[in-house]
Amino acid sequence: MPSRRELANAIRALSMDAVQKAKSGHPGAPMGMADIAEVLWNDFLKHNPNNPQWADRDRFVLSNGHGSMLLYSLLHLSGYDVSMEDIKQFRQLHSKTPGHPEYGYAPGVETTTGPLGQGLSNAVGMALAEKILASQFNRDGHEIVDHYTYVFLGDGCLMEGISHESCSLAGTWGLGKLVAFYDDNGISIDGDVAGWFTDDTPKRFEAYGWHVVRSVDGHDPEAMRQAIEEARSVTDKPSLICCKTLIGYGAPNLAGSHDCHGAPLGEDEIAATRDKLGWSHPPFEIPEEIYEGWNGAEKGRAAEAAWDEKFAAYKAAYPELAAEFQRRLQNKLPENWEATVTEALQAADSKAEKIATRKASQNAIEAYAPVLPELLGGSADLTGSNLTHWSGSKVIGKTIAEGNYLHYGVREFGMSAIMNGIALHGGFIPYGGTFLMFSEYARNAVRMSALMGVQSIFVYTHDSIGLGEDGPTHQAVEQAATLRYIPRMSVWRPCDAVESLVAWRAAIERKEGPTSMLFSRQGVPPQKRTPKQIEDIRRGGYILRDTDGRPDVIIMATGSEVALAMEAAETLAGKGIKVRVVSMPCTDVFDAQDETYREAVLPSDVRARLAVEAGVTDYWRKYVGLEGKVLGIDTFGESAPAPEVYKHFGLTPENLAKIAEDMIS
Amino acid sequence: MPSRRELANAIRALSMDAVQKAKSGHPGAPMGMADIAEVLWNDFLKHNPNNPQWADRDRFVLSNGHGSMLLYSLLHLSGYDVSMEDIKQFRQLHSKTPGHPEYGYAPGVETTTGPLGQGLSNAVGMALAEKILASQFNRDGHEIVDHYTYVFLGDGCLMEGISHESCSLAGTWGLGKLVAFYDDNGISIDGDVAGWFTDDTPKRFEAYGWHVVRSVDGHDPEAMRQAIEEARSVTDKPSLICCKTLIGYGAPNLAGSHDCHGAPLGEDEIAATRDKLGWSHPPFEIPEEIYEGWNGAEKGRAAEAAWDEKFAAYKAAYPELAAEFQRRLQNKLPENWEATVTEALQAADSKAEKIATRKASQNAIEAYAPVLPELLGGSADLTGSNLTHWSGSKVIGKTIAEGNYLHYGVREFGMSAIMNGIALHGGFIPYGGTFLMFSEYARNAVRMSALMGVQSIFVYTHDSIGLGEDGPTHQAVEQAATLRYIPRMSVWRPCDAVESLVAWRAAIERKEGPTSMLFSRQGVPPQKRTPKQIEDIRRGGYILRDTDGRPDVIIMATGSEVALAMEAAETLAGKGIKVRVVSMPCTDVFDAQDETYREAVLPSDVRARLAVEAGVTDYWRKYVGLEGKVLGIDTFGESAPAPEVYKHFGLTPENLAKIAEDMIS
């Protein structure tokens, strides 16, 4: 039997060798946290390398994602489908082992990490999802949802502001099954953190209501085992285990220095490390008994089999709940989904209300949520403004887990990364609201949802100068365009109640990535549509108002500016000008249509094109070209009642009509 | 003599009446914090309403900016040029009194606030600037820099992650002259914060190394006075005074409820509040004795006169230092600036090194910083990667204030907002580095620098897939484009050492707003230029390589892709194709050139235009139109060595040449 230290040294060897081979990477953290990982994975982690998708597995997140070789080593050693060949391909194109752990590349990678603080926040979301899901599905004697979430993190994660947001919430929510391991090695990229990170971290986390295990020797397996047991024994608070470690543990000359943080150790130091660790095996060779010591396959199979039995009993006792649990975990839509949508669309179309689209969004939630118990809503302290709540909203608190609404507080970044964690966990479709402007506070978590391709739904209200008096700090100008530039992000900006329902439908049906929905603060009139037009909304852009024959001019618009376009078109038509109005609620979906459709909406030979949107104009050049015109806003907004701000920026039907007329005269 | 309470009630009356008149706004915070503000402004604040620019004034920041009427009331009452008419114009177009305090609109507004947590972080920057400036200029017996920074903040500011970043740093730096007032009213927009904000805030701030004055009655002037004195007496730590207050104090039915947070009280409640407060004066009428009680003009004049005397003595003793102090405060460039730039440009041009532009950036700092002691650099824990340090860098720490370099730790948002605070304070040009990707963590502070028009310089290295192995979490794709969409932001992406020097020059000479500079991780070859071409770099875009007569095709490029364009042009020229290459390091500066120049660079009649940039393609439609082509990246990046990633995305001279050839054939 190899010793615990020898098992851990396998991680150290793989990490230093893979980084050396790749000529880049971060050996310091894997070598420093190897002993901690060994204890956690071999003594505690409930997982099945044969089935990385097992619903009730413990979640493991490496928030200090630059230490990716730690995770790859763990996956490889414990029996996941990550081969030695994969390890050798570390940081190479199309490998399973990219520089940072990327969700979807290697089995067992629960989330993409690297942008610091976000993995920790994802973990908070996962632990929260577990708690809520358990409250919704577990029954006495049937604990089918019952797992831990473990997260490793470093100084960097703790310096980032998002750690404050999500850890404060984890404390408030009392996430007892969240256990965080702080790699307290005193080193970050610029060197000894004493010059820039002097927080009393245990005290800080106690202030958040966490249980803190202070000052554990991260290289003493028995101490680590006890610390983890202590953490698990506290069930009403998340736990932070502060592990004193030596970065690059084992490297005789570089350990304890930032020189081993983000660069290969070098051949000489690697040789010296082998000597010091007593690890005599060549690079990328692991003795059989070490593999045996690590192998989690059998234990995993047994654990999952036990759960299968438990689930079978549950299914026998609660067949409907069991079926619903499976539906939820598979992220499938319910049977009556189509009917629900159709009914809601018909109702909104007949009602033809003039309402703010944020209100239309609330109506959409009200219509869809009753058949979608997986919808887990919330807002960053703007519930009454974002209108993210509905009549069935039930707020989740420390002692109330069975609910469907979260008060995230004024924490946009934390909210968004927690939403990503919830989506990654499974069983829920998270949606969360803030003002469109404050999408910027969350910007990189929003991007991460797109990078991972998870179904987070971002509800962004007060989407333009139309919010009025709050002024330029709150008035979105460039935010619609910049969200649209995030790859794989779908962005909707509907113009009325019917388009808002379609936007929500698209967001709910889109399983391969996130959706951002931009809603107005101010009221907008309903548009009249044929059934065909209603159907075409789903194509992202469609002809809302047409003319006979070839149009003299095409006006395209989104959201609250569609009404302006329609009014301008009326004026122009009165002058005998042939105007087509294209409503373009979702440019990415429109761009993904086949060429025939796009050509039918925007014929190549019509170059008199005018776009109107209360935001930066350059974005629209992709549709209007160099000859076209764009009416928008390229400066910051102004504080005043909305109609006056619109007038100030020339966003009026009169001005729009005039520009169109000038274009074709 | 009116009582303190009566003086404070003037704020309450003005606030509730102005909000009522505007039919929107936030009366709760001004009414809750009125007593605190009265004590601070009348007993402690060193300021001169006649000269809001007085260099040694105390700085006052309202971080909970939605309570803007508090600040406007204070400015009006104490004698700033904010008239009752201005107060009546609250939240109206072009008024001095917009919905949130906007820097540059009313005298005495030290920073734009509203986006929560940022005002607090600006205040940290101001207090830091004071400390460093004092260490650089004060001499024994000549304390010409000696002021406090006071900041009001609410629960929202404390929930935001940025408060963690900047307050942790304030503790590390030991900013003893920073005094923060926490409006602990237990209410945020969604209601009683107990459901989502359960931090032990005093404990949290003690963990940051702050001095905390706990649980002061924010409606007891004597208690407040003592608390402020205590805070000022602790000189080696920043202080947080936790003030228990009642939101909307004085409103008999709405005080203590979130209903008075963000909406007018209504006529009836206002009448009832007048009764309860014993404030019988009609709206917008303030009795003369109340004005007298508030008037800060005389005291301010005396205070500034005393300082003037002090400065005169200083000037007599240290004439050169005094002149330099004045130059620094006026943000004027030194005499030898032009010569320094010219010399550096000539040297770089002759040296013609192949280096990464991040290295070229460091060379630029090395060349310019010796004549610009106002340059205050730093990095968010990526000093060795961003190359933001230079041979003269001296790190600032808790006990070392005389320096010019800051280790911000892994805190991009905090860094950026602190930089804005430093710039607002005056005396410095702050620059700070991180990877371009992590500009997203700081996004809204970056925007705020542009909104305020302050000279923060953002150094963003590792600006594309060219960073290689770290993969898609770190590879910027849409970030250059999205930064360019921020109004008033200037964005440079230079292609070699010479362009990097010009970019830095532009950033340093641009006093009316911020500059973002994007630099490569990887080496780029030097380009050959005539003196005229070197001069034209300042125009943002210029012809780097031309052809005789009308070009068959124009290729435009930025940064590391300029070399690709030049190589492709060579290939194309070999085939007899007439190619012009336009280097476009700064689109905003190019767009601001006169039409003649722009037309000379991009003639309207040449529509065979091809843009290449390792980022989202749609941005370039503004130059290439619908007929042109863009070679770029519209997906996420990949982890692999940089040359392979470039090849993977088709960003090669061969592919570029092929696209150009196809376009014109």
Side-chain angles (χ1 to χ4, degrees), chain B residues 377 489 491:
Chain B
M489 172 60 71
V491 180

Side-chain angles (χ1 to χ4, degrees), chain A residues 542-611:
Chain A
Y542 64 100
I543 302 168
L544 178 61
R545 179 193 202 285
D546 213 0
T547 179
D548 289 334
R550 184 178 177 283
D552 297 323
V553 61
I554 298 175
I555 304 181
M556 59 194 89
T558 77
S560 43
E561 286 70 68
V562 169
L564 295 189
M566 291 298 277
E567 214 177 316
E570 205 58 44
T571 307
L572 294 163
K575 298 184 175 187
I577 296 168
K578 294 200 275 184
V579 190
R580 168 178 293 180
V581 175
V582 172
S583 178
M584 189 77 96
C586 183
T587 57
D588 56 278
V589 167
F590 178 74
D591 292 347
Q593 300 302 305
D594 60 58
E595 207 191 321
T596 317
Y597 180 77
R598 283 183 287 122
E599 180 65 24
V601 176
L602 298 177
S604 311
D605 65 341
V606 182
R607 288 299 168 93
R609 298 177 178 189
L610 171 57

Side-chain angles (χ1 to χ4, degrees), chain A residues 64 116 156 236 292 306 357 369 393 525 531 582 598-599 638 645 647 655:
Chain A
N64 44 350
L116 294 174
D236 61 344
E292 275 162 28
T357 55
S393 287
V582 172
R598 283 183 287 122
E599 180 65 24
E638 291 290 350
V645 186
K647 212 174 291 174
N655 193 31

Side-chain angles (χ1 to χ4, degrees), chain B residues 183-199:
Chain B
D183 183 28
D184 184 8
N185 61 29
I187 294 295
S188 68
I189 295 180
D190 276 2
D192 183 335
V193 296
W196 48 89
F197 184 44
T198 59
D199 293 0

Side-chain angles (χ1 to χ4, degrees), chain A residues 89-108:
Chain A
Q89 289 299 307
F90 181 51
R91 298 188 147 230
Q92 303 309 305
L93 198 61
H94 303 313
S95 77
K96 278 186 189 168
T97 50
H100 290 83
E102 301 284 342
Y103 181 65
Y105 282 52

